[in-house]
Amino acid sequence: MDLRKLVAKAHETGDYSELIATIPYAVTIGLECERFGDEIMFKLPSKKSNIGNPILPAIHGGVIGGFMEISASLYLLMFQDMPTLPKIVDISLDYLRAGLDRDTYVECKLTRQGSRVANVIVTAWQKSRSEPIALARAHFLFT
Amino acid sequence: MKNDPVLFGQVSRFVGSLAQCSELGIKPVLAASNVLTLELPYSQSIIGNPDTGVIHGGAITTLMDTASGSVVICGLDEFELCPTLDLRVDYMHAAEPGKPVFAKATCYKITKNIIFTRCIAYQDSDEEPVAQCVATFMRIGAEATPLSFRQMVMGAQSGGGKGTNSGAKSAAKSGTEQKGQE
């Protein structure tokens, strides 16, 4: 599968669904992606099977982490001209608020890119960008 | 390590109540005083790299978050829901496709407000980890967890009070308390 071609096509049409459909885990949690101008926003629509806390109910912390991780790797794939998805080295997650059973959004920011490794900061929010539910820093290795 | 049937029942009921764990097929394989091992079966739905069939790190994060969050049941006298404060995951190498991944978690420090945990994810041997994780959990107190949910997790025997837990856990707990008083 030529990911570069898929990325180019997605950038051209603004439809990222075909690219996302190639990653089964992204499909399992229900990840979506939208472009606004030159910016990319990742979305995780509310989904019953993503719940981890049945009392609130709230999204499983692992799903929030997985969503942030996959968003960061897709972000690198889309903007750094890579032939494959980068490999995750580590991720450090701070949970700030319960991720309630509603749509969640993720924004990524490339902090530093070297020749072999990239550092990405990821912010996840629901109600408002100014009230993030989780923050993450992740390192990725290019293969 | 010997399995503790009481703790195993509590962890099974708790993990069974988490929709995402049912979705991924995460289930306990061993529960003892302060130790818990969970299993994540391999499946097509958690693949992160379709060319190699390697599972996505996010599924391992979910496995480790669940193991670290559930091992508090094996460390506390009474069940309380403990929200995750932070989680740091290091991925050592890709998990081999087709095989399950196990996560072994321990609470290495329990304080009045915070629980500190460690967890490793592995396939064939825990000496060759796929990933490693340290996490902290906030204690909100048993009272803040709805009684019906507490009773569901603790099992029919418990009326929400203490004293129905395994001897092994009570012994470990009182040992910790004694140390704290010295």
Side-chain angles (χ1 to χ4, degrees):
Chain A
M1 193 180 315
D2 193 337
L3 277 179
R4 260 203 185 110
K5 273 189 193 152
L6 273 180
V7 170
K9 192 178 159 197
H11 279 324
E12 214 174 274
T13 59
D15 177 4
Y16 293 84
S17 55
E18 203 182 330
L19 173 66
I20 292 164
T22 62
I23 307 164
Y25 180 74
V27 176
T28 299
I29 61 171
L31 181 137
E32 292 173 4
C33 168
E34 259 179 76
R35 196 178 69 197
F36 301 92
D38 286 343
E39 307 240 326
I40 286 281
M41 179 99 80
F42 298 90
K43 179 180 173 184
L44 192 69
S46 156
K47 197 177 184 198
K48 292 290 169 232
S49 59
N50 284 344
I51 297 299
N53 174 334
I55 303 296
L56 279 173
I59 304 171
H60 195 298
V63 173
I64 296 174
F67 171 43
M68 293 171 93
E69 181 186 324
I70 204 159
S71 299
S73 62
L74 279 168
Y75 173 80
L76 289 173
L77 179 78
M78 288 172 185
F79 295 104
Q80 305 302 315
D81 188 34
M82 287 177 189
T84 55
L85 278 168
K87 268 165 97 174
I88 179 88
V89 178
D90 60 56
I91 184 162
S92 180
L93 290 149
D94 288 333
Y95 295 97
L96 309 175
R97 291 176 176 84
L100 300 175
D101 183 19
R102 53 191 290 172
D103 297 353
T104 310
Y105 302 91
V106 149
E107 287 170 295
C108 303
K109 203 176 128 203
L110 180 67
T111 324
R112 157 97 183 128
Q113 153 127 43
S115 59
R116 282 177 296 172
V117 77
N119 178 295
V120 183
I121 289 186
V122 190
T123 309
W125 55 275
Q126 291 187 323
K127 280 200 301 200
S128 151
R129 272 173 219 251
S130 60
E131 289 177 28
I133 61 159
L135 299 176
R137 287 179 299 114
H139 284 103
F140 290 90
L141 198 62
F142 308 137
T143 49
Chain B
M1 184 87 47
K2 248 187 98 188
N3 194 35
D4 180 324
V6 176
L7 291 176
F8 189 83
Q10 292 175 357
V11 170
S12 302
R13 287 186 290 274
F14 176 67
V15 173
S17 73
L18 315 179
Q20 175 65 15
C21 293
S22 310
E23 175 82 10
L24 302 191
I26 294 172
K27 56 179 190 297
V29 290
L30 189 142
S33 177
N34 245 337
V35 188
L36 173 67
T37 306
L38 299 184
E39 178 183 353
L40 168 72
Y42 183 81
S43 75
Q44 299 295 315
S45 64
I46 53 170
I47 290 174
N49 183 334
D51 292 333
T52 59
V54 170
I55 63 174
H56 192 266
I60 293 178
T61 301
T62 298
L63 172 69
M64 296 184 102
D65 183 30
T66 310
S68 306
S70 306
V71 73
V72 305
I73 295 174
C74 306
L76 293 173
D77 266 344
E78 196 173 352
F79 173 73
E80 45 185 289
L81 266 178
C82 298
T84 319
L85 273 185
D86 73 33
L87 198 72
R88 152 79 190 214
V89 186
D90 291 336
Y91 296 96
M92 263 71 91
H93 63 84
E96 198 182 317
K99 286 182 180 177
V101 180
F102 300 93
K104 188 165 97 181
T106 61
C107 301
Y108 69 91
K109 178 76 181 168
I110 297 176
T111 73
K112 202 174 70 174
N113 294 308
I114 308 286
I115 298 174
F116 299 85
T117 64
R118 280 193 199 106
C119 180
I120 49 169
Y122 61 94
Q123 291 186 297
D124 297 324
S125 152
D126 60 7
E127 283 169 22
E128 269 179 69
V130 167
Q132 181 162 303
C133 162
V134 286
T136 51
F137 294 85
M138 192 77 208
R139 291 187 69 179
I140 55 169
E143 319 76 52
T145 309
L147 182 63
S148 58
F149 190 68
R150 235 152 75 205
Q151 285 173 333
M152 185 282 290
V153 171
M154 296 295 277
Q157 274 181 304
S158 169
K162 292 184 178 182
T164 50
N165 280 325
S166 69
K169 190 167 76 166
S170 304
K173 179 75 184 168
S174 62
T176 316
E177 277 166 6
Q178 275 164 15
K179 252 184 229 160
Q181 283 158 9
E182 274 162 18

